[in-house]
Amino acid sequence: MNTKTRCDELLSTIAIDATLHHVVDDLTGLERLVPEAPSEIESLALFRNQLPALLEIKGRGQAHTEQVRRIIGLIAREPHQVETWIDVVNALTIMTNASNLALLLLPALSEDDAWAREQFARNLLRHVHRHGDGEDIALARRAVGELPRRPQHLTLPETGDAVRELIETMARRAGALRPARVASPGAPGVHTLEQAESLKAYFTAAPDLAGLLDGVRHLLNLIDRLRDVAEPNGIATDAIEGGLILAYARLLRVALWPASTQPDVAAKIAARDLVRARDADPDRLGALWEIAFGQGETVSGQSSRFLNVDERG
């Protein structure tokens, strides 16, 4: 996979893949993991227990970040190509943001997951300390939650067996951070600039923001009813967590995608009001929403095709 700009590479000479590939980001990809079950509560509980590994999500985020860097470098060489490639940039930006948000939204189900999340969280905090203001830093801290005082990778092994285990762990993680480009149908994959037409199609086929919000309201109403149960069983507890993950994955998609119409603006404003009123939900989820909302507004501000919410609502 091409991830770096060659000295002789130009956007105007990239060999474009004519095959249209189905592009799925990591937040949208969660939808396919919701199984059929006798009841919605059972479905959400099962969903909670078959969530994806964070290492692969981190790998896809890194791969798409490299593609964003690659295209920025190439546009600097051929500025007249901006209009031709702007939707490829937008698509890769949304996909990168979706992966990064999923890393902080989903639970860590293994030591590898915990490592992947911690690595990303510490990198995020370093970035906002260098480039953000006090508000950005506070928001990032809310989003990442509590971190171990000492990074896991700084704990050195003391025995031969521990050294071998560390090497095996590093090799396994390095392999998982290089996800395959070819994914199973409907699953998130890795896409390069050579798949420009597929990325443009993904960006053009924006989700129905109002429809996503309707699905969110339904899930949150169900979650609130389950929370009212005095002694919920294990299935109800898993359903609450699974439902929150799915609801906020949809809310983050509403936040990330630029508004093209006034109904889109209305959906984003309503989603923002809904999240800010959810006092019973974990604070980090509201912080993730605020981050995603800002990222969506940044994409909207790049073109007169889109509407900035804060300018109209």
Side-chain angles (χ1 to χ4, degrees):
M1 179 199 314
N2 269 329
T3 59
K4 295 183 180 179
T5 305
R6 301 193 313 269
C7 62
D8 60 341
E9 187 177 34
L10 295 172
L11 284 172
S12 55
T13 58
I14 285 180
I16 301 297
D17 184 352
T19 302
L20 279 181
H21 302 271
H22 186 45
V23 178
V24 180
D25 61 70
D26 277 299
L27 292 172
T28 305
L30 295 175
E31 300 283 348
R32 65 187 280 274
L33 300 179
V34 182
E36 294 186 5
S39 71
E40 188 173 17
I41 292 174
E42 291 173 272
S43 177
L44 292 172
L46 291 170
F47 166 72
R48 159 62 182 85
N49 291 302
Q50 56 189 38
L51 295 171
L54 300 189
L55 270 178
E56 292 186 3
I57 294 175
K58 188 173 190 294
R60 285 189 287 271
Q62 290 180 173
H64 290 134
T65 297
E66 288 298 328
Q67 290 300 303
V68 172
R69 291 172 180 160
R70 180 184 172 204
I71 196 170
I72 289 173
L74 292 173
I75 286 175
R77 296 178 184 175
E78 295 181 288
H80 63 282
Q81 293 281 345
V82 169
E83 289 303 315
T84 302
W85 287 84
I86 187 62
D87 282 352
V88 177
V89 176
N90 289 333
L92 288 168
T93 298
I94 290 176
M95 295 188 72
T96 300
N97 290 336
S99 296
N100 293 342
L101 291 163
L103 269 177
L104 298 177
L105 170 67
L106 299 177
L109 303 178
S110 68
E111 288 187 7
D112 286 346
D113 283 355
W115 176 85
R117 169 182 281 174
E118 182 184 337
Q119 290 293 299
F120 175 75
R122 292 188 187 280
N123 287 337
L124 174 62
L125 291 175
R126 279 194 292 269
H127 177 81
V128 296
H129 272 283
R130 290 172 184 164
H131 305 288
D133 56 21
E135 186 176 335
D136 295 328
I137 293 169
L139 187 59
R141 288 194 179 280
R142 287 172 55 206
V144 304
E146 293 294 326
L147 294 175
R149 294 180 61 86
R150 181 177 175 82
Q152 290 186 26
H153 68 279
L154 294 183
T155 303
L156 299 177
E158 297 179 354
T159 67
D161 287 344
V163 170
R164 283 192 294 273
E165 183 179 355
L166 176 62
I167 292 172
E168 291 171 359
T169 298
M170 292 174 63
R172 181 181 68 253
R173 290 171 177 170
L177 288 173
R178 294 191 294 272
R181 284 180 57 183
V182 179
S184 58
V190 172
H191 301 275
T192 65
L193 301 189
E194 284 73 14
Q195 294 175 338
E197 295 307 314
S198 299
L199 290 165
K200 289 178 183 178
Y202 160 80
F203 186 70
T204 300
D208 175 4
L209 303 189
L212 284 173
L213 184 57
D214 286 342
V216 168
R217 289 191 177 110
H218 171 78
L219 284 171
L220 294 179
N221 286 335
L222 175 60
I223 289 165
D224 291 342
R225 292 200 302 272
L226 290 174
R227 282 174 169 167
D228 287 338
V229 176
E231 296 182 6
N233 59 24
I235 291 178
T237 300
D238 284 348
I240 290 171
E241 186 175 358
L244 273 178
I245 291 169
L246 189 59
Y248 274 85
R250 292 172 180 173
L251 282 166
L252 294 176
R253 291 170 64 198
V254 173
L256 283 177
W257 282 86
S260 299
T261 64
Q262 285 300 331
D264 286 346
V265 172
K268 290 171 83 79
I269 292 172
R272 180 172 62 184
D273 293 342
L274 176 62
V275 171
R276 291 178 177 176
R278 297 288 301 176
D279 294 336
D281 296 343
D283 180 61
R284 66 181 182 84
L285 299 181
L288 289 177
W289 157 264
E290 296 292 345
I291 290 171
F293 182 80
Q295 292 169 335
E297 288 294 275
T298 297
V299 173
S300 294
Q302 294 174 354
S303 172
S304 60
R305 292 178 293 164
F306 306 120
L307 308 175
N308 276 100
V309 171
D310 287 334
E311 293 176 1
R312 292 165 171 79

